[in-house]
Each structure stands twice: as C-alpha cells, then as structure tokens.
Amino acid sequence: MIRFENVSVTYDGMAEPAVHGVDFEVPEGELVLLVGPSGVGKSTVLGAVSGLVPHFTGGTLHGRVTVAGRDTRTHKPRELADVVGTVGQDPLSHFVTDTVEDELAYGMESLGLPPDVMRRRVEETLDLLGLAGLRDRPIATLSGGQRQRVAIGSVLTPHPRVLVLDEPTSALDPAAAEEVLAVLQRLVHDLGTTVLLAEHRLERVVQYADRVALLPGPGERPWLGGPSEVMAVSPVCPPVVDLGRLAGWSPLPLTVRDARRAAGPLRDRLAGGRPPAREPGPPAPAPAARRLFPRGKPAAPAPAHVAEVRSLAVRRDRVQALRHVDLTVAPGETIALMGRNGAGKSTLLSALVGLVVPSSGSVRTGDAVPHRTRPRDLVRRVGLVPQEPRDLLYADTVAAECAAADGDAGAEPGTCRALLTELLPSVADETHPRDLSEGQRLTLALAVVLTARPPLLLLDEPTRGLDYAAKARLVTILRGLAAEGHAIVMATHDVELAAELAHRVVLLAEGEVIADGPAAEVVVASPSFAPQVAKILAPQQWLTVSQVREALDR
Amino acid sequence: MASFRSRGHDSPPNRGQSCRWGGTGGRGGTPQTPGRATPPAQRQHWHRHRPPLHPGAWWLWALSLGTAATRTTNPLLLALLITVSAYVVATRRPHAPWSRSYGAFVKLALAVLLVRLAFAVLLGSPIPGTHVLVHLPEVPLPHWAQGIRLGGKVTAEALVFALYDALRLATLLICVGAANALANPSRLLKSLPGALYELGVAVVVALTFAPHLIADVQRLRAARRLRGRHDSGVRGLLQVGLPVLEGALERSVALAAAMDARGYGRTAAVPPAVRRATAALTLGGLLGVCAGTYGLLTAEGGAYGLPVLLAGVAAALGGLRLGGRRTLRTRYRPDPWGARAWLVTASGVAVAALLTLAASRDPAALHPGVVPLVAPALPLWPAAAVLIGLLPALVTPAPEPTDPRKEPTT
C-alpha cells in the first residue's frame, strides 16, 4: 500500500539528509508504528507519504514513494487527498471550519462527493468515532481527546485507504488516549485501513502495532520488524519492555497481560523486598559544599509550607474550574497533579502563580498572596514552566535569553547561563531558542525560571513531546532540584513520570480533589493512572523499572 | 435519509461513548428519559428537526430594518426599531462565539451617539436656535478657518438635531449588529457561489484565526508575568506582538499544509474555450457595471446607463457561473431557503417599504421639527409597521440551550 524505495530527503540549506535509505513497504490493512528518538526524521517519513514532503516543505527527495500505486513525485498532496488522510501533531491547526459536522464534511466537499454520499458518511463517522453528541458543537469548546477524534474523523470521511498520524495521543490523558486508540483499532480491524503512526508514548501504542519501523538515529537506515523483535533492540522502549529485558523474558512481552503471565518468578524474587519509601528532600536547603543551585542567602527560619491553598474556588467564563480545593506543599516535596483534560490542573497551577484570581478561598505561596503580588517579587517565591515552554522565551539567542532572565530576576549576571550549563552542557550561546529540540527548550525555560531561585517550582505537562532520553534527563534534573529542597508541583498525564518522581499524587476531577496521598498508594489504586510496572507486579507496590533493578541488584 | 435510517448500526460500546459525551455535550434542555428510548435514526432527527434559518434571511431582515431607520428621524420610531431588533436578538440569538458581537455593536452605537453630541456642543451647529442652554467660551480662530466655530452658545435645538441624526446612525449600526449576532458568518460565506469559494474559505479561516490570536496574546502576557515583568500597559502588549505574529504565521503554515493534504484547491479540467469565455464575461461584465454606473450618475448618460449596467451585471453573473465549473467542490447540507426565510425577509422588507411610503406621505410625522422645538409624536401607522419586524421572533426556531458547565480550561 505504501512503498518506500531507497528514499532520502534533504531539506534546503542542510548538509546532511534528514532521513536516508528508507526502504520498506507497508502492506494493506496493517498498523505500522514508527519509533525512534526525537529528531530522527519520523515526521519527515510521515510527510513523505502524504506528499507534503517535499511538495509543501521544500527540499529534495531521492528515491520513490508510492501510495496505492500513485507516485508522490507526480501527485501533489491535494491529488492524494482521496487515498491518504493525514493528522498532524496539533489537531487545532488542522481545522478549517468551526463546527464538528462541517469539519467532517470539509474534506469531502473539496473532493466533490455528491451531497447524499456526504450526508451518509458524516453520520457513519459520527457513530464510528462516538461523536454524535458533539455534532453541532463549536470545535473551540472541545476537549483535547474530542479534538483529536474530530481530526481523525475529518480525514476518515473521504474513505482514505491510508491514515497517517503524527503523535495522536501525546497531548491526551490516559483515558482519552485509550479512546483514540480504540478508534484506530476499529479502523484497522473493521475497515482494513492502513495506518502509519509515530508516537513517543510507546507504552500506549506498541501493543496495537502489527509491525514497528525503527529509526535508530539521525540519518540511519530504518529497520522494520515485528514489535517484539524490534523492541528487543530499540533504544526507546516502554517500561513493560524494559522490565521484560531486565528479567530476561522471552518472548518479550508487549502488553501488561503478557508480562503479568511471565512475571510470577520475578514477583517471587521481589517478594521479600519493598520499594524504598520516598521521603521528601530536606526541608531547608543545607549549605553543602557542592550544590546544584548555590544560594547566597543564609537559611532563614523556613515556613512550614511553601504553598498553601485553602478551600479555593475559581470560576472562569461561567465555568466552575475549581471548587473547595485544599492543598499544602512542603519544601522538598514533589507532587504530581493528575486528572483528565479539563479537570482543573492548569487552573490550579495558574492560581498558585496569580494568573487567575480566586473567586473564594485563599492561596498563599510562601508569605505572599500571588495575585496581589508584583510579578518581580513573585518570581522569587514561585516559578511556573508553562505547557508550551516557548512562551517564556523572547530573545533571539540563548545568551540574550539568559541575560534577560538575570535582569528579570535581579540576579547576578551569568546566573542563568551557569544554571543552564549545569543542566544542559551542550547548548551554544548563539543558538536561536526556536532551533532547540523540545527537551532542550524545556530545560532552557526551566533555567530561566530557576534564575530567581523560587522555592516552589510548577511544571505544566513537562513531558509533552519528549522522547524517553529527554524524559530521563528531566527526571534526573527534577530529582536534583527536589533534593536541594525545591518543592515541585507538576500537572501531568504521564503516569510513568509521576511514578518516577512524585512523593505525593493529587487526583483532580471536575475541579475537585478526589484523591491525595503517597504516590504508590494513589496510582496503584487507580486503573487508568497506574504505571505499567505497578500493573504487572501488583499487588506489590513497585512503580518503576529502576526500583526493581535496584532491588534485584541488592 | 432513508438509507441512513435503515443502517442502524449503533454497537454497544459506541452507544456508551456517545452517551457519555452526549451528556456533557449539552444539546437540548430536555434530558432523554431512559424509559422513552428512541431508535438512533429518530434520535438524530430530533437533533436537528428544525434547521437554523438561512443566514442570508437574517441579513436581509436586518438590513431592511436599517433601511427603514434611514427613512426617519423620529426618535420614538427609531427607539421602536432598536427595541424590535433587540427583542429578536435576545430571543433568537444562538449560544455561539460570534453572537457575542451584539454587545460590541451596541457600544459602538453609543459611542457614535456621544461623539456626535460632543461635536455639536464643541463645534456648534448651523441650526438656528433660541433656547440657549449654555454659553461656552468661544475660541477665536484665524481667518482661514472661517466657517468653523469652536465653543460659543449651545442651543437645545442644535443638540436635539444632533441627537436625532446620531440616533439614526446608531440604529443602523445596531441593526447590522443584530445580523451579526443572529447569522453565523461562516454559514453565510458557505452560500457564496462556487467561483467565489476560495475567497469564502479565506474569510472563514481569517474569522477562526481571530480568536486564536486573542488567546495567544493572553497566554503570552501571562508568560510575561511569569518572567517577572509587568503584563499590563502598551509596552507589554508591544513586546508580545512579535511572538504572537510568529505563532500566527506558524499556525497558518500548518493549516495550509493540512488544507492541501485534505484536497483544497483540486480543480476540474475545463476546456480552454470555457476558460476564455469565463474571463471575457467577467471582465466585460465588470466594465459594463462601471460604465453603466457612470452613465447613471452623469446627467447626459441617463438613456444608456441602466441597460448597460444591467447587461454588465448579467455578464458578470454568467462569468461567475461558468467559473464555478472549475471547482469540483460540492456542498454539504446547504441551508435551505424555506418558507421561514421568506417570511423573515418579507417582514423586514415590509417594514422598510412601509416606512418609505410613510416618509413620502407624511414627512412631518417621520421628521419631527426641531425649529421650532416640538415634542415628537408617535405616528400610529408607521409604528404599527415597525412592529411587523417582530415576526422573526415568532416564526424562527428558538436557539438550543447549552450547558455552560463543560468547557476546556486551557
């Protein structure tokens, strides 16, 4: 169905090809998963299928890509629109119209299908994707999972034979991701659609793949194989595979179910041990000899809490975003805020930095009321890295950004750059922040925020768009900060991240706190928020592969 | 519809999902009781049993009311016109982002009113008047500014005249606002002829971009606060300008890619003869329109003006129609122009026609005098005619109530 014949793509102005020697075939009706670290050209491979590479992006494509027998050299993207449906990373930038029903019809209108066919297919697609209740809704009011399903539906209505998806579940909470994947599963099984998708969150998708194409590194040849054989050697792999490799299971399990069936002996070996209880870091930063973030100020009598929220309620645009939320954050503590999209996680973080004004209740960070404090003073008490770290960055170069950060925070010149060098040694001063990878940009934003040395650090969806390596680096950095006595509150959908880092997990639903307790207890008790390792080794409370590894080494 | 009804494949997991989302979707104020389970087809039917009115009808109705407003300066009639349009907006405005524009138009109309009054006070007015309200100090102006007066006496007559005049303009603005609030702009653009389709898409995309831009500005100003800078003031706004434009540019490139991949701009093969005919008709038609208009406006060309104009319009329309052959595009569920649309349009046109008639029959009642100052009276028949404009509030479907609870917070 899709055939790559020795394809390499070189973008204009680049010396090296973005991808090289791509040579594989995707047969009809298969779901093929494209995996690899960030920046190896996954999006380029996907774009080549729809013809957007090179017709839209520019650059030179050597070799040949044929889709359903059509050569993309001679067919422009619009002439492939009836056989290939493409959904990009951000569904919002995919929408042309403003309501769900019109959006589903848009592609068919462009293709000139007769009105009765359009009507029938719109109804069918609404049912297939469970969107019937949303048909008249403006797209702007939909949640992330709903938007993603509408985006998929909008390319399904012309009945394409190939569906190309770039990170369809990265921005979604676990339940919404399940919904989208169930839809894909249904398309592959019932309609015989060929699906090619790229995804960082392998723990969510790898079990659905018929085959996996691995791009091991930039410019290296991709390798296509069965999921378990590729996963056995892949540099990126989900926790279930990592655990399987650690325990030496063969064949390598890809699903929690298979792993559980193989895990009996491992559970026995681990039966005596207990995961080390996670204690929050030292309450006040100790003046140690070498510290990641040296502080000039002598340790004042630290307040018991760096943040305190009492029966907070927030209304935004007639929506009750939060109600009766109580939360205290102790120094050195890491808290994961979890819950589905729209549960109020971001609003709670915004309230902690004074971006939203509480309609009742109180918020205090340290000794300040955030929304009544001047921004200059507030940055010394609390720092937030927003969902899109790029929002924080204005300057043209990394050096200018760091200098501006020193100015904003009133810190000594060079503070930010020193922090950045410690977190991310390889970044040159002249780089434009836009040219950094997602992980590097996040780290830069983190350094900018830390320049003012806030005792409370807030992170909104920090792992969105990060591959496993970048995530591991982030975990190391955040662990270091917590050990320094920084309190960290992060809103995240990434259960594995929460399992790695959090001392406490706070679950939000409909603006209320529905669970608040030690990470192990809260996540293990919830089927959708439990990490894979916990599911495999339940009832034992192991959360991460590294815990298991340490226990086995002892 | 028949084929759809026979389909009936609503598998159990799917139904569960649609129920779940339907519950938060908040269409219809009447929750379906489980005991009264309707089959899927019928349930769909229930969703849209009364299709929304054709947006063109709303525009014609509102513009007709505006036309009626230009026929009179009677403040009572103008107030009645505003009330009529406001009542229809209040009862028939859908819960959609675009319908919030009505408030903006009302504010604009108020501003127009105030500015006009302020000018009348400051610059004086040619209206002779005897009821002097206040004497402002007059600023002496050099001789080249003759005819302009700054300050001086302010008469009640001048103020009332300015008020009547401004009220007329304000009414017109409010009527346009009513059309904006009642008719979905993108659905109106969907009704454009095929040859203008690409233009329509451009406008629709621009319309959906505006809210994104506003959201971007808000997000980036929040980010400024996070950096410890002040988020208010003009400087703050200017500094986020560049990132906002950058974001908008990136988004438009992404959207262009998505549209290309979805088949935007596919064209049908058209024989060269048709293409040439299209160009000739369109160009010739536009030239004809220009010449005809010129002829109509000049004194000499009264004889040939109208026929040339009509011929030009016909040729241009023909060109558009032929040009439509190049686009493959079909239309999904176009808004039907039904009996209701006729009624709504007719009610507006009737108001305009009757007021025009009244203005020529009884100019005194529709243009109450200001010199000498008299209290305006409400002329009975024109007032009754204005009330015809309320018809849409009776014949059009009520907007569906929405549940404002479930909205994403981001």
Side-chain angles (χ1 to χ4, degrees):
Chain A
M1 180 55 62
I2 309 171
R3 199 184 170 88
F4 288 90
E5 288 169 52
N6 203 15
V7 172
S8 66
V9 178
T10 314
Y11 288 115
D12 294 337
M14 294 289 177
E16 297 289 310
V19 291
H20 173 69
V22 183
D23 196 282
F24 63 83
E25 194 181 343
V26 179
E28 181 159 7
E30 282 207 349
L31 194 155
V32 174
L33 177 65
L34 205 54
V35 303
S38 289
V40 292
K42 295 194 292 293
S43 297
T44 304
V45 172
L46 295 183
V49 176
S50 58
L52 287 173
V53 175
H55 288 291
F56 194 84
T57 57
T60 322
L61 186 141
H62 292 284
R64 202 147 94 118
V65 184
T66 45
V67 182
R70 295 188 204 173
D71 191 335
T72 60
R73 272 188 303 190
T74 52
H75 289 78
K76 289 190 180 145
R78 66 189 72 149
E79 286 146 12
L80 291 165
D82 51 338
V83 287
V84 183
T86 310
V87 181
Q89 287 188 6
D90 179 13
L92 260 192
S93 62
H94 171 95
F95 297 132
V96 183
T97 63
D98 52 358
T99 61
V100 172
E101 199 174 347
D102 289 344
E103 192 60 40
L104 292 186
Y106 176 79
M108 294 188 291
E109 286 184 336
S110 300
L111 299 179
L113 296 180
D116 55 333
V117 174
M118 288 201 273
R119 185 68 205 275
R120 199 172 63 235
R121 288 199 190 163
V122 166
E123 301 296 345
E124 282 166 5
T125 310
L126 286 171
D127 283 349
L128 183 70
L129 304 196
L131 292 169
L134 303 172
R135 60 189 303 158
D136 294 332
R137 282 272 292 274
I139 286 170
T141 64
L142 301 182
S143 73
Q146 292 168 337
R147 279 181 193 163
Q148 191 64 260
R149 282 186 295 153
V150 173
I152 293 177
S154 72
V155 299
L156 275 185
T157 44
H159 284 194
R161 294 164 70 191
V162 176
L163 197 58
V164 176
L165 304 158
D166 199 351
E167 307 225 2
T169 71
S170 281
L172 303 183
D173 61 69
E178 288 291 321
E179 255 165 44
V180 170
L181 290 167
V183 163
L184 290 184
Q185 186 75 342
R186 199 156 169 205
L187 292 178
V188 173
H189 282 242
D190 295 0
L191 303 181
T193 314
T194 310
V195 179
L196 181 63
L197 81 151
E199 178 63 66
H200 279 313
R201 304 236 168 134
L202 291 180
E203 66 269 20
R204 289 178 174 175
V205 293
V206 76
Q207 67 265 35
Y208 298 111
D210 295 310
R211 286 202 292 167
V212 176
L214 171 70
L215 288 160
E220 287 181 48
R221 284 172 171 276
W223 190 61
L224 190 72
S228 46
E229 48 179 318
V230 174
M231 278 300 124
V233 297
S234 166
V236 290
C237 62
V240 57
V241 170
D242 210 3
L243 189 70
R245 285 194 205 163
L246 177 69
W249 291 328
S250 178
L252 201 58
L254 297 176
T255 61
V256 169
R257 180 167 181 268
D258 289 346
R260 263 195 85 81
R261 289 166 63 193
L266 181 66
R267 271 198 294 267
D268 294 340
R269 271 171 75 193
L270 291 168
R274 276 186 62 83
R278 251 188 232 157
E279 290 301 323
R290 192 206 161 275
R291 286 208 325 236
L292 197 53
F293 305 105
R295 287 183 122 186
K297 212 169 59 174
H305 305 299
V306 284
E308 193 168 20
V309 174
R310 291 225 168 280
S311 63
L312 171 70
V314 174
R315 277 184 82 79
R316 274 175 139 185
D317 305 332
R318 296 186 298 154
V319 181
Q320 188 79 38
L322 290 178
R323 56 193 101 195
H324 302 298
V325 172
D326 290 299
L327 181 73
T328 51
V329 186
E333 190 178 30
T334 304
I335 299 180
L337 284 180
M338 306 189 80
R340 63 175 87 88
N341 293 58
K345 303 185 296 294
S346 297
T347 308
L348 182 53
L349 293 188
S350 301
L352 282 170
V353 288
L355 291 178
V356 297
V357 179
S359 47
S360 72
S362 72
V363 182
R364 295 186 75 81
T365 50
D367 52 350
V369 179
H371 65 276
R372 295 213 193 97
T373 312
R374 284 194 311 154
R376 274 191 84 81
D377 301 329
L378 195 65
V379 289
R380 267 163 250 205
R381 297 186 169 87
V382 53
L384 168 67
V385 179
Q387 220 168 66
E388 186 58 73
R390 210 168 56 174
D391 291 353
L392 276 187
L393 311 174
Y394 302 102
D396 291 339
T397 63
V398 169
E401 201 62 71
C402 286
D406 292 337
D408 289 336
E412 272 175 46
T415 314
C416 178
R417 180 65 228 194
L419 275 170
L420 183 64
T421 314
E422 226 167 321
L423 301 178
L424 194 71
S426 58
V427 170
D429 270 348
E430 306 80 51
T431 321
H432 195 291
R434 198 180 7 190
D435 296 334
L436 298 174
S437 74
E438 294 270 353
Q440 289 173 325
R441 214 179 297 140
L442 177 72
T443 317
L444 176 58
L446 197 60
V448 164
V449 165
L450 287 172
T451 307
R453 299 190 205 103
L456 174 61
L457 179 64
L458 311 175
L459 299 148
D460 197 352
E461 288 296 337
T463 58
R464 192 173 170 179
L466 298 191
D467 59 9
Y468 286 98
K471 230 162 90 173
R473 267 198 304 279
L474 179 74
V475 166
T476 319
I477 291 172
L478 293 182
R479 280 226 180 101
L481 290 173
E484 293 287 313
H486 284 270
I488 299 172
V489 179
M490 52 188 180
T492 184
H493 293 317
D494 189 334
V495 292
E496 308 296 338
L497 178 80
E500 287 273 356
L501 276 179
H503 304 120
R504 241 168 89 197
V505 169
V506 175
L507 282 186
L508 288 175
E510 310 250 299
E512 285 173 271
V513 173
I514 55 165
D516 180 356
E521 285 172 25
V522 175
V523 295
V524 171
S526 152
S528 56
F529 290 108
Q532 287 191 317
V533 173
K535 285 182 190 164
I536 296 166
L537 297 177
Q540 298 173 13
Q541 291 194 343
W542 303 92
L543 297 182
T544 64
V545 180
S546 52
Q547 283 178 354
V548 175
R549 186 174 290 130
E550 275 168 34
L552 290 179
D553 287 348
R554 253 183 282 147
Chain B
M1 200 62 192
S3 63
F4 163 55
R5 202 166 280 177
S6 65
R7 207 172 30 80
H9 87 347
D10 205 15
S11 61
N14 198 357
R15 189 192 302 259
Q17 248 175 358
S18 73
C19 279
R20 179 178 159 200
W21 293 110
T24 56
R27 147 180 354 274
T30 46
Q32 280 193 310
T33 47
R36 208 165 36 113
T38 36
Q42 208 177 326
R43 195 174 52 194
Q44 301 288 0
H45 189 67
W46 172 75
H47 275 316
R48 265 216 186 182
H49 58 137
R50 303 181 85 181
L53 195 71
H54 195 289
W58 280 127
W59 270 98
L60 285 176
W61 169 81
L63 289 180
S64 301
L65 289 195
T67 313
T70 61
R71 298 293 105 197
T72 175
T73 54
N74 188 326
L76 298 175
L77 277 181
L78 290 174
L80 194 62
L81 273 170
I82 294 179
T83 317
V84 164
S85 65
Y87 177 75
V88 174
V89 168
T91 51
R92 289 299 177 259
R93 168 165 70 167
H95 302 274
W98 75 83
S99 50
R100 287 177 210 149
S101 64
Y102 188 65
F105 272 92
V106 170
K107 279 182 204 149
L108 184 67
L110 265 180
V112 163
L113 208 67
L114 291 177
V115 167
R116 180 74 177 83
L117 285 178
F119 272 120
V121 168
L122 289 178
L123 297 178
S125 128
I127 303 293
T130 50
H131 300 75
V132 177
L133 294 177
V134 61
H135 261 292
L136 291 179
E138 190 166 343
V139 180
L141 289 175
H143 66 92
W144 48 262
Q146 250 179 359
I148 302 179
R149 207 186 58 186
L150 216 54
K153 63 180 180 181
V154 179
T155 62
E157 285 89 345
L159 272 188
V160 169
F161 179 78
L163 179 73
Y164 288 1
D165 202 35
L167 197 60
R168 192 160 62 164
L169 192 55
T171 312
L172 192 59
L173 277 174
I174 289 179
C175 287
V176 173
N180 262 306
L182 290 164
N184 184 343
S186 49
R187 290 206 76 83
L188 182 68
L189 286 164
K190 275 188 87 172
S191 320
L192 281 178
L196 294 182
Y197 161 70
E198 315 211 336
L199 184 81
V201 170
V203 178
V204 168
V205 167
L207 282 176
T208 49
F209 251 63
H212 284 310
L213 275 186
I214 294 170
D216 275 358
V217 170
Q218 283 169 349
R219 221 183 57 229
L220 285 160
R221 291 180 80 162
R224 276 182 64 76
R225 204 181 142 83
L226 296 179
R227 287 282 299 252
R229 307 179 190 184
H230 272 286
D231 57 342
S232 53
V234 179
R235 241 182 91 222
L237 199 61
L238 285 181
Q239 283 195 355
V240 298
L242 199 61
V244 166
L245 285 182
E246 214 173 85
L249 199 66
E250 270 171 32
R251 192 173 300 134
S252 36
V253 169
L255 179 64
M259 284 171 71
D260 201 4
R262 290 171 72 184
Y264 175 75
R266 275 165 81 113
T267 48
V270 173
V274 174
R275 226 163 38 223
R276 268 180 239 126
T278 310
L281 277 176
T282 315
L283 274 180
L286 289 179
L287 274 178
V289 170
C290 291
T293 319
Y294 178 77
L296 273 185
L297 294 179
T298 49
E300 302 92 62
Y304 71 85
L306 196 62
V308 170
L309 179 67
L310 289 180
V313 168
L317 285 180
L320 275 183
R321 201 170 167 75
L322 266 189
R325 280 209 206 162
R326 255 187 90 233
T327 54
L328 281 169
R329 185 178 158 267
T330 47
R331 213 163 277 165
Y332 173 73
R333 293 181 87 178
D335 285 318
W337 185 280
R340 280 201 216 103
W342 281 118
L343 271 176
V344 168
T345 313
S347 72
V349 171
V351 174
L354 288 173
L355 275 202
T356 311
L357 189 69
S360 61
R361 281 283 177 79
D362 185 11
L366 268 70
H367 297 279
V370 286
V371 185
L373 211 51
V374 286
L378 186 68
L380 195 61
W381 285 113
V386 169
L387 289 181
I388 299 176
L390 283 176
L391 194 66
L394 303 174
V395 298
T396 58
E400 288 157 350
T402 52
D403 173 12
R405 205 168 56 95
K406 183 69 191 174
E407 269 175 50
T409 52
T410 45

